[in-house]
Amino acid sequence: MPRQLKQSSKLVMTYTFLFFILAICIFAPYYFTNTSLIWQSDGIAQHYPALVQWQSDLKNIIFNHKFPINWSWQLGLGNDYYQTFSYYTLGDIFTYGTAFISEKHLLTYYNVMIIIRLYFAGLACLMFIQHWFKSSHTWQYQVAALTYVFSGYTAFSAFEHPFFINPLIIFPLLIWSMHYALTKNKYSPLILMAFWTIWNNFYFAFMLIIGLIVFWIGYHYQHKTWLAWQSHLKILVAGIIALMLAAPLFFPSVDAVLNSARTNSGLANGLTIYPLYYYLALPGNLIANLTTPSFWLTGGFSAISVMAIIFSLRRWHRYQLFNILWIITFLGCCTPLFAAILNGGSSPSNRWLFMLSLPISVMLFQMLEHLSELTLHDYLSFFIIGIVATISLLITSNFNLNMQFGMIIAIYFVTLIMLWFSQSVSGFRPVWLVILVLINIFFITARNHTNNTNPAKTDLLSNDTVKQLLAQQKEYPKNKPGSFTRSYVDNQLNNMTGIAPATNLPINGPLNNIESYWSLQNGAVGEGLASLNISTANPNDITGNLDSRNVLSNLLGVADRFENPGKLTPNSYIADNNKTINGQTITHSDNAYPLLYLTNNNINRQFYNKLTATQKEAVLADSIVTRTGKQHTSTFANSVVTGNIRTDLTKNPTQTIHMTYTTHPELLPAGFYLSPSKALKGTELHLEISNIQFKPFTFKQQQKAALANYQYMYKQNKQNPQTLIDRQYNKQAYTWNWYKKHISSIGNGISGYTLTATYNDFTNSFKQTGQANLSFYNPLKEVTLNLGQAAKTSQETFIPLTFSKAGRYSFDVQIKGIPTDKRFDKVAREVINRSPAYKLTGNHIKTHLNVNKAQILATTIPYSQGWTINGNHKIIKLDSGFIGVPLKVGQNNIKLTYRTPGLTFAKYICLFGFIILLIVLVCQLRKHPKFIN
């Protein structure tokens, strides 16, 4: 056996042994406690339902040679299958094995593949380092590889987003393939790795390609080969070929991104600098990772890895390229714009830092190779950084001496001592340093998950719960043959609900659930529904639960609602009290609009834009809205009632009032009075809030407000003879404790707030997401809250408002009543009775209808450029975000067909790229018969 191969085998065997010791320590408790690795948020809401769907489709592809249809009606209101799942499963090669296992073993597969992904990430790093450093001590390779794979990034992604581990596998191999191309002038590995990079996930491909370009620049900078134009051209051609091979996933994904609901958010969420608490936590994030990473900076590198960075910086000229990288990284971590650009030009997420793990591991290997060079100044630098990180973690923990980071801090300084021993004590065995590093990375990975085996506190679902949730999807009723209806399924996670606003579990059953939680949502519908100010909607979930609005739910074809106890039921939906499914009440509406329907009214867009959100909703009930519309009225919209309101009973009520609220101790809640009005009877009340402005209190103002409230409550209790005197009252101690408790939140005014209204014992809230929110940031100046059916309309009703964050609020309010009684029943029945029959099969919808005037057939089919009418693209984009079909006088035979935009072209491009790749391989084989050895 050649020496190099023998060494490689030994390294792999040693790595495998150490990895599985760590894996057992980290993951065995989940096995023994029957806990899955599925996060109660995105894990059960997105990743696992997508994998279940993909398993079925993949088996169809392999065994029945049948590809999924392009358009799926189960993805919310309907969405492109390939554009949606390209982000989650289609490009992830670690999901392809699901085709060869049974459905009952899928959960085990999901859990095991997380460990397998981690294993391959470390293995890729091991191969990468050995490529550069051929002959060194085995323990040095192991330390570098294991610290690469176990960091704060994987401690978060392994449990929350498993496919986020894939880039850790790809990145070392991608850099290696570039180096191989530059040094050996052989480009096939680069083509294949670039193809895998792009195919795997377009989002991470963007970041990985930037990382590859940085390496390419560094290589030419070091070797002074800027004028190697032939090499540059070959690299470019290799990239183009890889892009051509990945075109069937890449092109549709790009189209989806450019036309998604998330493209409208401002760059870096409008931030020019991060809040102060982010910078205070930054040094501590070097050695520890926060439970919820702020601005997705997971951090959490091993102590010895941090020391390797300092080792490099103290030898500026020897490791100049690495040091430039550290400086750029530091500046990038401090700049929201930098993070936003690397996040695809959206929110300021520092996910890109996962790529830093590779150069850190390389530099760690270098330091271990040169341990004898460490000087007193090095150890002093290590110590100072440790102190700074400790102070940062103390601040993050609000100076709690019992903080959860104590072990991490201790390990850092023990590592420092161990390094000194390894250098100064003769006969010191490196195995002790390796053991300490293993302990370090174990704590980094497992520390934030210590509650996961506690059923009362866990963020993960048990295996039994996951299986139960999946099985119960099939219990929901199927559509009647030949019919198409939509449904709304209430939250099925109950007390396990995490940060996810919804779940996609219903895609694994027969229902067409309108609520859909995916990263890429239809931008046209998102824009159309945005004008209706739905309080529960966001860029990842453009419908939300429609705020349980009656007219809007029926308009979008929601025939059935499956509701949890205590939820608001829209007026048209009648409950079947004798039947429940999965603990949910079934309610049904006969007013649900069909998929295709006709209306007499075509409202002008300019007129429509001037209406309030409730009036717009009413317009859409009996009209369509287009740029060419001539009408400026809607009969049903004219029936919308405006309530009279006032904040002071001594003043006359008005239809609109301006309210301001500044946080202060109060005896009575803020709010307003709704005056008696018979006109409101039979309507659903909407609280329309506009011109919303909020100025958060400064840190000092927050402290004063908290202290004032503390003193106020003490005085109130003191004046109550039935309450015992509070002997613990101490405003100085309260102030001290408040500062200590909140020091880590300085600057959190950007974190958003919640406004809550209560009417007729029903509470509804609007959450204004803050600039610190990366996925759901959606700043609104106006919003509409559904207060439910109007009640007690003959008496004055007080509607209290509460505010979650200290500061000054300013806004205008109106109360609108939209009819939900016989007036709406009449409009709905007219629409339903005039709707044409249609046939829906796969990607096609066929209908035949005769009209006596040119008009537009309305639909609730989300607009996409992939839809065609009878082979042409003459579809109309209605202002609601849906498709309109132009009709001519007389007989109209309509066939709507959907094809994924760019997919057909991409297939030809892929085939052409494959042919070019074959030619390249043949040429290289003829020129270098041994190039594959």
Side-chain angles (χ1 to χ4, degrees):
M1 181 181 292
R3 182 172 179 272
Q4 188 67 30
L5 182 59
K6 185 176 180 179
Q7 184 196 29
S8 298
S9 300
K10 181 181 178 182
L11 290 177
V12 171
M13 291 176 63
T14 307
Y15 165 75
T16 302
F17 174 74
L18 293 176
F19 175 88
F20 280 102
I21 287 178
L22 268 173
I24 289 171
C25 293
I26 294 170
F27 296 107
Y30 301 106
Y31 173 79
F32 291 118
T33 59
N34 194 36
T35 302
S36 76
L37 299 181
I38 295 182
W39 189 25
Q40 64 178 2
S41 186
D42 287 5
I44 194 63
Q46 292 182 323
H47 307 318
Y48 194 66
L51 185 64
V52 173
Q53 179 68 46
W54 176 231
Q55 182 189 40
S56 174
D57 296 332
L58 188 58
K59 287 186 175 183
N60 256 335
I61 294 172
I62 295 175
F63 302 114
N64 302 323
H65 313 297
K66 186 178 179 181
F67 282 82
I69 60 174
N70 300 62
W71 185 265
S72 173
W73 293 104
Q74 289 192 294
L75 301 176
L77 299 171
N79 211 345
D80 187 287
Y81 176 94
Y82 295 95
Q83 291 182 337
T84 301
F85 289 119
S86 65
Y87 182 77
Y88 297 94
T89 55
L90 299 186
D92 183 3
I93 63 173
F94 292 96
T95 66
Y96 293 177
T98 59
F100 307 102
I101 64 171
S102 64
E103 183 179 327
K104 68 178 181 179
H105 293 119
L106 185 61
L107 179 54
T108 302
Y109 181 90
Y110 179 96
N111 293 333
V112 171
M113 288 312 296
I114 291 175
I115 302 173
I116 297 300
R117 292 175 207 255
L118 291 172
Y119 173 77
F120 279 115
L123 193 61
C125 180
L126 187 67
M127 295 171 59
F128 177 86
I129 292 176
Q130 193 188 17
H131 171 72
W132 262 269
F133 309 101
K134 302 296 184 184
S135 183
S136 295
H137 296 292
T138 300
W139 69 273
Q140 296 171 354
Y141 293 103
Q142 306 307 323
V143 169
L146 291 168
T147 53
Y148 171 78
V149 68
F150 291 104
S151 67
Y153 176 82
T154 50
F156 188 78
S157 60
F159 295 89
E160 277 79 6
H161 306 282
F163 69 91
F164 280 23
I165 303 171
N166 292 3
L168 289 176
I169 305 171
I170 295 172
F171 193 44
L173 302 179
L174 182 64
I175 299 297
W176 168 83
S177 65
M178 173 64 84
H179 185 257
Y180 190 77
L182 291 171
T183 56
K184 303 295 184 181
N185 200 31
K186 296 173 182 176
Y187 298 88
S188 300
L190 178 61
I191 293 172
L192 294 176
M193 281 310 307
F195 159 70
W196 185 16
T197 302
I198 301 169
W199 182 265
N200 173 71
N201 183 284
F202 65 89
Y203 172 71
F204 282 108
F206 175 78
M207 286 183 274
L208 290 172
I209 296 301
I210 291 177
L212 184 65
I213 292 172
V214 170
F215 171 79
W216 178 82
I217 293 173
Y219 177 88
H220 288 294
Y221 175 83
Q222 186 177 34
H223 294 86
K224 312 300 180 186
T225 52
W226 295 112
L227 300 180
W229 298 112
Q230 285 188 340
S231 173
H232 301 340
L233 183 60
K234 289 177 180 178
I235 294 292
L236 180 61
V237 171
I240 293 173
I241 295 173
L243 183 61
M244 294 170 70
L245 293 172
L249 279 188
F250 182 73
F251 284 6
S253 298
V254 170
D255 178 82
V257 171
L258 295 178
N259 294 286
S260 74
R262 297 181 70 169
T263 58
N264 297 323
S265 298
L267 183 64
N269 290 3
L271 291 172
T272 52
I273 60 172
Y274 291 113
L276 182 57
Y277 70 83
Y278 170 87
Y279 296 108
L280 292 174
L282 200 55
N285 262 318
L286 279 171
I287 63 173
N289 51 317
L290 303 179
T291 304
T292 304
S294 180
F295 296 96
W296 236 100
L297 191 142
T298 49
F301 299 107
S302 67
I304 200 168
S305 297
V306 175
M307 294 172 190
I309 298 175
I310 303 167
F311 171 84
S312 169
L313 288 168
R314 285 191 40 78
R315 291 152 181 83
W316 181 267
H317 294 291
R318 186 197 298 182
Y319 304 112
Q320 188 176 32
L321 289 178
F322 283 90
N323 292 326
I324 292 173
L325 181 62
W326 309 143
I327 298 300
I328 293 174
T329 298
F330 173 74
L331 295 176
C333 287
C334 295
T335 312
L337 183 61
F338 187 94
I341 292 173
L342 264 70
N343 196 37
S346 57
S347 56
S349 173
N350 286 292
R351 285 175 179 164
W352 58 274
L353 273 175
F354 76 87
M355 293 186 290
L356 195 66
S357 297
L358 186 60
I360 288 178
S361 291
V362 172
M363 185 48 57
L364 171 57
F365 189 90
Q366 287 280 63
M367 186 183 78
L368 297 177
E369 280 274 87
H370 300 89
L371 278 181
S372 60
E373 296 181 14
L374 291 179
T375 66
L376 182 61
H377 288 93
D378 287 315
Y379 288 111
L380 181 60
S381 299
F382 298 162
F383 181 78
I384 291 173
I385 292 299
I387 293 297
V388 172
T390 299
I391 294 172
S392 173
L393 292 175
L394 279 170
I395 294 173
T396 302
S397 304
N398 299 313
F399 293 100
N400 179 6
L401 298 181
N402 296 316
M403 64 174 173
Q404 57 182 335
F405 301 109
M407 183 59 73
I408 294 292
I409 295 171
I411 288 175
Y412 181 91
F413 289 104
V414 172
T415 303
L416 176 59
I417 296 171
M418 189 74 75
L419 273 181
W420 181 82
F421 268 103
S422 67
Q423 182 185 11
S424 59
V425 178
S426 61
F428 179 84
R429 300 183 64 183
V431 65
W432 299 112
L433 184 59
V434 174
I435 291 173
L436 182 59
V437 170
L438 293 178
I439 293 172
N440 191 175
I441 58 182
F442 166 77
F443 272 95
I444 289 173
T445 307
R447 185 186 57 81
N448 287 342
H449 303 286
T450 54
N451 288 329
N452 282 345
T453 53
N454 181 344
K457 298 181 179 180
T458 183
D459 290 330
L460 304 177
L461 293 163
S462 72
N463 289 312
D464 291 341
T465 298
V466 174
K467 292 174 182 178
Q468 180 188 25
L469 285 168
L470 188 63
Q472 74 183 34
Q473 303 313 306
K474 299 175 183 178
E475 298 176 12
Y476 289 104
K478 297 181 180 179
N479 286 334
K480 296 178 181 178
S483 67
F484 172 84
T485 59
R486 294 189 175 111
S487 305
Y488 166 70
V489 182
D490 210 344
N491 168 41
Q492 300 178 68
L493 302 183
N494 301 330
N495 64 326
M496 284 298 296
T497 302
I499 63 171
T503 73
N504 294 310
L505 279 167
I507 70 169
N508 303 136
L511 297 181
N512 301 309
N513 183 34
I514 57 152
E515 190 166 21
S516 175
Y517 172 46
W518 302 107
S519 289
L520 297 179
Q521 297 278 354
N522 186 291
V525 178
E527 183 181 358
L529 296 183
S531 65
L532 302 181
N533 298 340
I534 304 170
S535 62
T536 55
N538 63 71
N540 281 29
D541 182 11
I542 56 176
T543 62
N545 63 0
L546 298 179
D547 201 17
S548 296
R549 295 196 204 174
N550 186 74
V551 174
L552 184 57
S553 296
N554 282 286
L555 172 65
L556 295 181
V558 180
D560 299 293
R561 287 170 54 93
F562 301 88
E563 302 174 349
N564 293 327
K567 293 300 179 73
L568 178 66
T569 302
N571 195 56
S572 294
Y573 293 83
I574 308 302
D576 184 349
N577 295 319
N578 297 319
K579 187 176 181 182
T580 61
I581 294 181
N582 302 323
Q584 296 178 325
T585 302
I586 304 174
T587 63
H588 177 79
S589 173
D590 291 328
N591 289 340
Y593 284 30
L595 192 63
L596 313 178
Y597 60 94
L598 287 170
T599 65
N600 289 323
N601 306 324
N602 187 347
I603 302 297
N604 179 267
R605 176 187 298 172
Q606 292 182 339
F607 167 75
Y608 177 79
N609 290 340
K610 296 177 182 178
L611 302 176
T612 68
T614 304
Q615 291 171 328
K616 290 175 180 176
E617 181 179 343
V619 164
L620 296 178
D622 67 354
S623 312
I624 60 171
V625 181
T626 66
R627 179 177 56 83
T628 58
K630 302 298 182 183
Q631 291 178 266
H632 292 76
T633 185
S634 159
T635 302
F636 187 64
N638 289 337
S639 65
V640 171
V641 182
T642 303
N644 290 321
I645 53 180
R646 52 183 168 176
T647 56
D648 188 340
L649 290 176
T650 63
K651 297 180 180 179
N652 294 326
T654 60
Q655 291 187 341
T656 303
I657 57 175
H658 178 73
M659 294 187 66
T660 58
Y661 172 80
T662 302
T663 302
H664 65 283
E666 56 188 348
L667 182 62
L668 297 175
F672 61 90
Y673 294 89
L674 174 62
S675 299
S677 173
K678 293 182 179 179
L680 293 175
K681 188 175 182 180
T683 68
E684 179 182 88
L685 296 187
H686 291 175
L687 172 60
E688 296 189 338
I689 309 173
S690 58
N691 300 318
I692 301 172
Q693 294 183 352
F694 170 62
K695 184 178 181 180
F697 277 176
T698 64
F699 187 68
K700 183 63 177 177
Q701 288 174 327
Q702 291 178 44
Q703 182 271 323
K704 288 183 176 180
L707 178 61
N709 188 66
Y710 176 69
Q711 293 174 303
Y712 174 79
M713 295 304 299
Y714 172 74
K715 292 178 181 178
Q716 289 296 118
N717 291 331
K718 187 177 180 180
Q719 294 172 2
N720 186 349
Q722 296 180 345
T723 302
L724 293 175
I725 297 175
D726 183 5
R727 303 297 185 188
Q728 294 179 316
Y729 175 76
N730 185 332
K731 67 177 184 179
Q732 288 85 0
Y734 177 87
T735 300
W736 171 268
N737 192 61
W738 188 94
Y739 275 122
K740 191 179 76 164
K741 185 178 179 180
H742 293 85
I743 191 70
S744 63
S745 62
I746 297 178
N748 71 345
I750 68 166
S751 62
Y753 59 89
T754 300
L755 188 156
T756 302
T758 302
Y759 173 77
N760 194 30
D761 296 327
F762 172 72
T763 297
N764 201 355
S765 297
F766 152 62
K767 182 173 178 57
Q768 181 76 280
T769 53
Q771 291 170 289
N773 194 304
L774 302 182
S775 296
F776 309 117
Y777 178 62
N778 187 30
L780 299 174
K781 288 295 183 182
E782 52 188 30
V783 70
T784 297
L785 293 179
N786 179 14
L787 300 180
Q789 205 66 15
K792 302 177 183 178
T793 55
S794 60
Q795 64 186 53
E796 195 97 22
T797 305
F798 181 69
I799 300 178
L801 303 177
T802 57
F803 310 85
S804 67
K805 185 178 286 292
R808 186 179 187 278
Y809 299 81
S810 172
F811 49 88
D812 298 322
V813 296
Q814 277 189 324
I815 289 288
K816 295 287 185 180
I818 184 170
T820 56
D821 53 10
K822 293 181 180 179
R823 289 169 288 181
F824 175 64
D825 294 344
K826 179 181 178 182
V827 172
R829 296 317 305 173
E830 287 179 355
V831 169
I832 294 170
N833 292 335
R834 293 185 60 202
S835 64
Y838 62 89
K839 183 179 181 181
L840 191 156
T841 55
N843 297 316
H844 308 285
I845 304 173
K846 295 181 181 179
T847 186
H848 308 279
L849 67 165
N850 196 308
V851 294
N852 55 17
K853 65 176 182 178
Q855 59 186 111
I856 296 174
L857 175 67
T859 79
T860 53
I861 303 171
Y863 177 85
S864 168
Q865 295 179 352
W867 285 105
T868 58
I869 305 173
N870 300 335
N872 62 59
H873 292 269
K874 294 183 180 179
I875 58 173
I876 296 173
K877 179 181 176 182
L878 304 179
D879 272 30
S880 56
F882 299 104
I883 288 174
V885 181
L887 303 176
K888 62 183 180 181
V889 176
Q891 184 67 28
N892 290 265
N893 298 315
I894 304 296
K895 182 180 180 182
L896 285 168
T897 302
Y898 183 81
R899 294 185 180 89
T900 299
L903 183 58
T904 302
F905 174 72
K907 289 178 180 177
Y908 288 112
I909 291 294
C910 177
L911 178 60
F912 187 48
F914 184 70
I915 293 172
I916 295 175
L917 177 60
L918 287 178
I919 294 172
V920 171
L921 290 173
V922 170
C923 291
Q924 288 196 357
L925 280 170
R926 293 184 63 183
K927 187 176 181 180
H928 305 284
K930 296 182 180 181
F931 90 102
I932 58 174
N933 293 334

